Amino acid sequence: GGDGAIRRIRFREPMTVSILSTHRIVPPFGLEGGEAAALGENSVRCADGREEKLSGSDQIELDTGDVIVIKTPGGGGFGPYEL
């Protein structure tokens, strides 16, 4: 499998944000005995310190200084793990 990515976007003015993402409930599968990848996550870190989880398909009003964090899943593994 592969590594996912983490994206952080800080907002400089109030804004409505919509997100449509996948693999937040069912992980990317592996092939030929490889394990599934980790799930992705979406969240918001508010300027006042609160953190709020978002679903894969969500919409939220953000204020100045809020940060949306998008963690994409990696790919599922291929074949059995052997040393």
Side-chain angles (χ1 to χ4, degrees), residues 63-80:
D63 291 321
T64 302
D66 290 349
V67 177
I68 189 165
V69 181
I70 304 167
K71 297 180 182 179
T72 61
F78 183 83

Side-chain angles (χ1 to χ4, degrees), residues 12-68:
R12 300 176 75 183
E13 60 186 61
M15 190 171 291
T16 301
V17 174
S18 298
I19 187 162
L20 178 61
S21 55
T22 60
H23 296 296
R24 295 333 192 234
I25 298 171
V26 178
F29 58 88
L31 294 172
E32 301 293 326
E35 293 185 19
L39 292 172
E41 295 179 16
N42 303 322
S43 62
V44 172
R45 291 188 184 145
C46 299
D48 64 9
R50 290 178 297 120
E51 187 165 333
E52 183 177 339
K53 296 266 185 194
L54 300 175
S55 66
S57 300
D58 218 329
Q59 183 172 323
I60 190 168
E61 300 292 328
L62 297 180
D63 291 321
T64 302
D66 290 349
V67 177
I68 189 165

